[in-house]
Amino acid sequence: MEDVRRPLPSKPTRFMDQLRVFIRSKQLAYRTEKTYVKWVLDFIRFHDKKHPNTMGPKEVDQYLSYLAVQRNLTDNTQKTALNAIVFLYHKFLGRDLGKLDFTPSNRPRNLPTVFSHDEAMSIINHLDGVHRLLVSLMYGCGLRVMESVRLRVQDIDFSNNCIMIREAKGMKARRGLLPKTLLAPLEAQVDIALSLHKKDLLDGYGEVYLPGALDKKYPCAAKQPGWQYLFPAKQLSIDPRSGVKRRHHIGERHVQTVVRRAISTCQIYKKSGCHTFRHSFATRLLQSGTDIRNIQEMMGHSSIETTQIYTHVVGIQERGVISPMDL
């Protein structure tokens, strides 16, 4: 259960535990917590484990410059580290770093890898069962692997022919396309999930994790069919947050491993994985003439600039430009 926050002491004394408690008090996503903790730890280790209270702008500049010059990280990665350290000082420690003067990274962001339609379908056809359906959702709806495995039964809106992505990155809910070719497989998967739920209820279980404070607001919701995971795990497990034995969703890493094997079997040698299907979704829409604002909404991007990177992915050969050798 890689998306489950590990429990913390009620009165933490260790610095990193105190930071985690503070992050959770701000209701930031668990992925944000893990990212911030990772970079703060890296910053502390770079300075021979000095306490952040004994350091300031000078040490921050040294570290960020090191990331750009010695580790040759991209500007986006350097900005992520900067965000983590600014959060540490401004929010957690209540200290203003002032104007920083570090060496910015000059390594540009790489263009995302995309599959051709034939490549994407070749990989999907090498999969079966829930893995085939999960990857079809990534390619057909532009979902992240995290968003796919976290889908609940109620998120598939058959009557309105759409899919609701509620537990998304940054907890920004959005509506997505529901491909007609996936209607029958999704209906079958709903039946499987609900049959498993009925069995769990008979065995004295059947309760699922609810995000936020929904379990307090709706005490009975955790056992209702609509809230059950669409892609439930094979085994029950102990939830470390509450100690309750219940059924979680299928793991992201497991799906990523299965997809990597399928890509290798198809002899596709691009640097690719689950997220490549999401990039391919956006690129196919752009190629078919879909308005970039609509793509932004379907992808759940906060900024249009994030979506515009796909305009660079659509090659000049797809804009009607022909090489002189082919004239």
Side-chain angles (χ1 to χ4, degrees), residues 152-167:
R152 313 270 181 157
V153 169
Q154 64 184 356
D155 294 336
I156 310 301
D157 190 343
F158 292 104
S159 58
N160 288 311
N161 201 40
C162 69
I163 186 169
M164 287 297 302
I165 304 98
R166 305 177 199 273
E167 297 179 60

Side-chain angles (χ1 to χ4, degrees), residues 37-311:
V37 166
K38 168 194 165 185
W39 286 112
V40 169
L41 278 172
D42 197 61
F43 169 64
I44 292 170
R45 287 166 181 158
F46 174 75
H47 288 293
D48 299 321
K49 299 184 179 179
K50 290 182 182 177
H51 196 286
N53 270 326
T54 66
M55 297 187 282
K58 177 184 174 183
E59 287 79 8
V60 172
D61 284 338
Q62 289 172 347
Y63 173 66
L64 293 172
S65 297
Y66 154 76
L67 294 181
V69 178
Q70 268 77 44
R71 285 175 58 177
N72 195 30
L73 299 182
T74 63
D75 58 341
N76 268 17
T77 306
Q78 188 188 44
K79 285 175 186 174
T80 301
L82 171 63
N83 290 340
I85 295 170
V86 167
F87 180 89
L88 169 70
Y89 280 97
H90 286 202
K91 302 292 185 181
F92 182 56
L93 298 176
R95 287 175 52 190
D96 187 1
L97 288 171
K99 186 177 180 181
L100 297 173
D101 188 27
F102 58 88
T103 303
S105 171
N106 59 6
R107 183 182 163 193
R109 179 181 178 183
N110 294 326
L111 290 177
T113 303
V114 296
F115 295 127
S116 69
H117 178 68
D118 288 344
E119 287 173 332
M121 294 310 300
S122 172
I123 298 164
I124 289 170
N125 289 333
H126 270 82
L127 299 168
D128 52 31
V130 293
H131 301 114
R132 182 179 183 130
L133 183 52
L134 277 162
V135 175
S136 297
L137 286 168
M138 294 175 212
Y139 183 50
C141 310
L143 303 189
R144 301 174 176 91
V145 60
M146 168 192 76
E147 295 166 344
S148 301
V149 298
R150 291 182 183 180
L151 286 170
R152 313 270 181 157
V153 169
Q154 64 184 356
D155 294 336
I156 310 301
D157 190 343
F158 292 104
S159 58
N160 288 311
N161 201 40
C162 69
I163 186 169
M164 287 297 302
I165 304 98
R166 305 177 199 273
E167 297 179 60
K169 184 178 179 181
M171 299 310 289
K172 293 175 287 189
R174 68 184 191 276
R175 275 190 172 197
L177 292 172
L178 186 57
K180 293 179 180 178
T181 53
L182 298 184
L183 292 178
L186 283 169
E187 286 174 349
Q189 185 59 34
V190 168
D191 290 340
I192 291 170
L194 294 183
S195 295
L196 194 56
H197 175 53
K198 285 180 182 178
K199 179 182 178 299
D200 288 344
L201 288 171
L202 290 173
D203 292 339
Y205 301 105
E207 182 180 299
V208 73
Y209 165 74
L210 297 182
L214 287 176
D215 56 337
K216 295 180 177 64
K217 188 174 182 180
Y218 306 109
C220 299
K223 290 190 175 183
Q224 290 177 355
W227 280 103
Q228 304 309 305
Y229 286 117
L230 182 62
F231 298 100
K234 290 184 177 180
Q235 305 293 334
L236 296 171
S237 56
I238 302 295
D239 190 329
R241 293 162 292 202
S242 60
V244 175
K245 190 174 184 179
R246 54 188 169 200
R247 196 177 295 278
H248 203 55
H249 57 67
I250 189 172
E252 292 177 43
R253 290 179 187 172
H254 170 69
V255 177
Q256 290 166 338
T257 300
V258 171
V259 169
R260 278 197 299 269
R261 287 174 185 161
I263 292 171
S264 178
T265 301
C266 293
Q267 297 183 332
I268 295 171
Y269 304 116
K270 299 174 179 178
K271 185 181 178 182
S272 54
C274 286
H275 210 67
T276 311
F277 289 99
R278 176 172 159 84
H279 292 319
S280 304
F281 166 81
T283 305
R284 295 287 91 74
L285 291 181
L286 196 61
Q287 288 171 334
S288 64
T290 306
D291 181 76
I292 198 164
R293 290 286 182 183
N294 289 329
I295 299 174
Q296 177 192 1
E297 184 178 342
M298 285 184 278
M299 296 289 282
H301 291 157
S302 299
S303 169
I304 191 68
E305 292 178 3
T306 306
T307 316
Q308 282 175 334
I309 194 166
Y310 295 108
T311 62

